[in-house]
Amino acid sequence: MSIKTFQPLHLLERWVQENNELVNKWKQQVGGGDTLGRDQSQTHLRCCSSEFHKLLMKIQGIPPLADHTQLELTVVYNACVCFTAQSQFSEAELLLTQSTERVLQVHSTSTEDDPAASDPHLFWRTVLKSVGNTALAPCVLRLLCLQWAIWLSTCQLKTIQEFQNELMSVFERLSTEVWDKGRKSSDDPLLVMDPRKLVELLQICTYIAQGAESLSEGQSSEALSALHTASSLPAPRTLIAYTHLLSGSCLAHMGRPQMALQCYRKALETDRRCLCALYRSMLIYRQLGNTQAEIQALRLLHSTLMLPSATEPPLAGTPLLSPSLLLCSQSLSSMLSVPSALSILHNLALKCVLHGRVSEGVEYYLDLLAALQSEDQHGMHAGSPPLPRLPELYLQAGAALLMAQRPADCVALCDEVITTTLELLPERVVLEEPDEECEAGSRALSGGGEDRVGMLLWTAAAYLLHGHCNTHLKDWKQAVTHYARCFNLLVKVRLKKRGFQPQIPSADMVGKQGTDLCILQRLKGLSLAGRGISFTQTDQLREALRDLQLSLQAFPECATAGLWCGEVLWRLGRRREAAACWENTWSFTPQSSEELEFDILITAK
């Protein structure tokens, strides 16, 4: 009889020792001073989960006994933490189900033909009721924490919401009395992760995930209340910063931009690496029309993104179940996303040029082109908005260089675009009639999947800019040549309306702004206006008048063409017509010619 009593105790001690050795081995690996690489950490994690699972198989090899059920559930906890940390959720849930069913067997509670077995809520309520306040209660609560973590990691927020009362009770009990009573003996089996830390992490992550979901559904007030509660919870600085960030997003959606900015500032003060708060602040400044603050925020965001720490968060000290594992919902990910460093640099360059800080914008454009040519993709990551195509960036930079009185540099970029695209241009491009329901506008009817019309527009815009550079240098003959090349490319485009043959498009066919057809007509108008002005400088007034009038037909809002047309008419002695032309021109409130040309180039796709 004594031998039968001694054997389970002997096994129990050996299993406790084996469990504790595995836990200590893990803690030495992650806390030994050497930061593990991601691959090393994952390899060690797989090894630990395998060893815990082997130990569990030994323990479950005998019928469930109350004497060693606490050890069994502790090993289940350790194994499930390792499985969950590797995103092996089905394996973890299977262990949780099997172990809790054995708990019910110990308490003589059957799950066969019980609807609770197929309903996770009823099942866990049955388990909690069966253990009550017994010695197994802390162990079962730990396992419920892991089930909570799995629900959160797999974005089952509705399940969590339906089980909210029980989960909050778990938080209260594990944070206070149950855990404290369980730490009596130094011979107790060790845990790979402190349940108190885990339940605190789960609570704030749940508030954050639910707040993000409510915000995405337009329920800003409800989300704001939950996030306010979460901001006062004990949690890592990164998560507290997220609560301030999401609170700011709620306030922004509620039309309170100044209060939103205060929340974003709190997020940055809490965690200086919360770059999404800086990005959201920039968007608020843009909304408010505060260009100075927007540019400053863009500059700061770009410089921060270029730091190694911004793109390579440290691995040291990261818990087994990290916030990034628990917070993976699509709605939250979109709110936390930040464009790449190169995207921010492009926005910064564009914003500076469009708001009078041309020399700054030029330097940013040159930095961007240099980074792209050297294939320096620092700060690029998935989910970033795509940069414009390289020819578009060359054209934008060229337009900025011309505005900065650097025509020679602009010519170099234009020649690069022309050399790259000219041989690839088709003999003729046919555009479909613009579809009212299609926001992307018309596209070329051509095979091969290439954007033929976009390539043609890039080349034409490069010739246009080249002509402007010649005008800047007062080389009128070369200016006429390049404006003519631009126009000759553009007339290759035909518009095909339903039921009609393809025809040359005109201004009255232009629908939505920003479509290929709209850009085509603007480029036509500017090229004709440029050639007409060049003819004026060489006293070829009749040719100048022809081109300027054609320019106004193609692009009636072109104020430069209207003013010069009036000038030519006046010089030809047709003063009444000149006065009418000027009066009609001044009835518009146009952009300056340089800004207008730059606007056309940045919309050419």
Side-chain angles (χ1 to χ4, degrees):
M1 188 72 179
S2 61
I3 295 176
K4 292 182 180 179
T5 305
F6 173 77
Q7 187 75 11
L9 289 176
H10 179 62
L11 286 175
L12 182 63
E13 290 171 0
R14 287 177 56 188
W15 290 336
V16 168
Q17 183 181 1
E18 191 173 342
N19 172 80
N20 292 353
E21 286 175 356
L22 288 172
V23 172
N24 288 328
K25 183 180 177 182
W26 166 257
K27 291 183 177 179
Q28 286 171 4
Q29 288 284 345
V30 297
D34 295 329
T35 302
L36 291 176
R38 180 175 178 82
D39 291 340
Q40 287 179 301
S41 179
Q42 287 296 311
T43 301
H44 188 56
L45 195 55
R46 282 194 296 271
C47 180
C48 283
S49 59
S50 175
E51 292 300 319
F52 278 123
H53 193 253
K54 288 177 183 177
L55 174 58
L56 184 60
M57 294 300 99
K58 295 178 188 177
I59 299 172
Q60 292 182 341
I62 61 175
L65 299 173
D67 290 342
H68 64 261
T69 302
Q70 285 181 267
L71 171 62
E72 178 182 339
L73 297 184
T74 300
V75 176
V76 169
Y77 173 85
N78 289 336
C80 287
V81 168
C82 294
F83 279 131
T84 305
Q86 299 172 80
S87 300
Q88 295 179 338
F89 304 120
S90 56
E91 290 87 343
E93 280 198 297
L94 180 61
L95 282 186
L96 290 175
T97 303
Q98 290 174 345
S99 59
T100 46
E101 284 177 347
R102 285 169 64 88
V103 168
L104 293 175
Q105 289 178 34
V106 171
H107 288 79
S108 303
T109 305
S110 175
T111 59
E112 294 181 8
D113 301 323
D114 189 343
S118 59
D119 185 324
H121 300 119
L122 292 176
F123 179 72
W124 278 103
R125 287 184 181 117
T126 301
V127 175
L128 290 172
K129 184 179 179 181
S130 69
V131 297
N133 290 320
T134 65
L136 290 181
C139 302
V140 171
L141 291 178
R142 292 172 202 154
L143 299 187
L144 181 53
C145 277
L146 287 174
Q147 180 65 75
W148 183 359
I150 293 169
W151 286 336
L152 192 54
S153 299
T154 53
C155 303
Q156 299 183 51
L157 296 180
K158 285 188 177 180
T159 304
I160 294 174
Q161 185 67 39
E162 292 168 3
F163 212 56
Q164 192 85 27
N165 293 336
E166 287 82 355
L167 295 178
M168 289 303 106
S169 175
V170 170
F171 172 75
E172 293 171 4
R173 294 175 67 183
L174 276 180
S175 298
T176 54
E177 58 187 31
V178 173
W179 174 250
D180 292 335
K181 289 177 182 177
R183 299 291 295 185
K184 292 179 181 178
S185 171
S186 59
D187 295 329
D188 284 343
L190 299 178
L191 303 172
V192 292
M193 186 172 186
D194 186 341
R196 290 175 300 180
K197 298 291 184 184
L198 175 58
V199 78
E200 289 173 356
L201 182 64
L202 288 171
Q203 189 184 37
I204 191 166
C205 286
T206 300
Y207 275 123
I208 291 171
Q210 289 176 337
E213 198 67 24
S214 297
L215 180 57
S216 67
E217 294 172 356
Q219 301 172 354
S220 300
S221 300
E222 294 84 345
L224 193 60
S225 176
L227 291 166
H228 179 72
T229 303
S231 64
S232 60
L233 294 174
R237 297 173 69 86
T238 300
L239 296 179
I240 298 298
Y242 284 175
T243 65
H244 294 310
L245 170 76
L246 292 175
S247 296
S249 298
C250 291
L251 290 165
H253 278 81
M254 295 165 69
R256 301 175 185 174
Q258 296 298 339
M259 294 180 69
L261 285 173
Q262 291 178 11
C263 288
Y264 295 146
R265 191 176 298 112
K266 281 184 183 178
L268 283 167
E269 289 171 354
T270 304
D271 180 11
R272 60 183 178 81
R273 293 180 300 171
C274 188
L275 298 184
C276 40
L278 184 56
Y279 176 63
R280 295 283 168 180
S281 299
M282 182 275 295
L283 295 179
I284 293 288
Y285 291 134
R286 180 177 295 174
Q287 176 189 337
L288 296 174
N290 189 341
T291 305
Q292 180 73 19
E294 181 186 351
I295 290 176
Q296 186 177 355
L298 281 169
R299 189 186 297 116
L300 181 58
L301 185 56
H302 174 256
S303 60
T304 309
L305 282 169
M306 293 301 292
L307 297 174
S309 59
T311 54
E312 300 173 7
L315 293 172
T318 302
L320 265 171
L321 301 184
S322 63
S324 60
L325 177 71
L326 302 172
L327 296 173
C328 54
S329 68
Q330 187 174 357
S331 55
L332 181 61
S333 297
S334 64
M335 293 176 194
L336 299 179
S337 64
V338 177
S340 70
L342 292 182
S343 295
I344 293 296
L345 183 58
H346 175 245
N347 274 315
L348 182 57
L350 192 58
K351 186 61 64 173
C352 286
V353 171
L354 291 178
H355 289 85
R357 301 166 70 160
V358 179
S359 55
E360 282 183 68
V362 164
E363 294 308 315
Y364 290 133
Y365 267 117
L366 295 179
D367 289 344
L368 177 61
L369 293 179
L372 290 170
Q373 287 175 342
S374 65
E375 297 184 351
D376 179 7
Q377 301 300 307
H378 185 85
M380 289 292 284
H381 49 80
S384 296
L387 285 168
R389 303 276 291 276
L390 197 56
E392 293 177 55
L393 291 175
Y394 270 66
L395 291 171
Q396 291 179 21
L401 285 163
L402 182 59
M403 293 169 72
Q405 312 293 319
R406 294 170 61 177
D409 294 328
C410 177
V411 166
L413 290 180
C414 291
D415 286 342
E416 183 70 25
V417 174
I418 292 167
T419 302
T420 305
T421 59
L422 190 58
E423 292 183 358
L424 302 174
L425 294 178
E427 285 299 318
R428 193 177 69 162
V429 176
V430 179
L431 291 177
E432 289 181 318
E433 182 181 19
D435 188 348
E436 292 181 2
E437 298 180 358
C438 179
E439 295 183 1
S442 53
R443 278 293 167 196
L445 287 172
S446 58
E450 296 182 38
D451 186 1
R452 302 295 183 90
V453 67
M455 197 175 298
L456 186 144
L457 292 177
W458 295 334
T459 312
Y463 277 129
L464 177 68
L465 271 179
H466 208 311
H468 288 346
C469 293
N470 296 135
T471 300
H472 227 72
L473 299 169
K474 300 188 185 305
D475 187 348
W476 308 113
K477 183 177 179 180
Q478 283 297 313
V480 168
T481 299
H482 285 100
Y483 287 133
R485 287 175 178 172
C486 174
F487 181 76
N488 290 338
L489 273 180
L490 296 171
V491 294
K492 289 184 176 182
V493 180
R494 298 289 188 273
L495 177 66
K496 187 180 187 306
K497 301 186 75 173
R498 293 182 183 85
F500 294 92
Q501 290 297 316
Q503 57 184 308
I504 297 176
S506 58
D508 60 344
M509 297 179 183
V510 175
K512 294 182 179 180
Q513 300 295 305
T515 62
D516 291 331
L517 186 57
C518 175
I519 295 166
L520 174 77
Q521 289 303 114
R522 287 187 169 204
L523 287 173
K524 272 187 187 177
L526 289 171
S527 62
L528 288 166
R531 192 170 69 173
I533 293 167
S534 299
F535 280 138
T536 303
Q537 300 301 318
T538 56
D539 291 327
Q540 296 173 270
L541 297 184
R542 295 197 180 279
E543 291 83 353
L545 181 61
R546 177 202 63 202
D547 281 354
L548 291 167
Q549 288 177 333
L550 287 173
S551 170
L552 289 171
Q553 289 177 22
F555 181 25
E557 296 85 2
C558 185
T560 302
L563 293 174
W564 275 98
C565 187
E567 171 73 18
V568 172
L569 286 168
W570 186 272
R571 288 168 63 177
L572 289 172
R574 298 160 64 174
R575 300 192 172 184
R576 185 173 296 177
E577 293 176 68
C581 184
W582 284 329
E583 184 178 355
N584 185 55
T585 301
W586 287 118
S587 66
F588 295 106
T589 54
Q591 301 165 281
S592 71
S593 60
E594 286 181 330
E595 288 178 347
L596 183 60
E597 289 152 13
F598 191 80
D599 179 56
I600 290 169
L601 293 180
I602 64 176
T603 55
K605 297 176 183 169

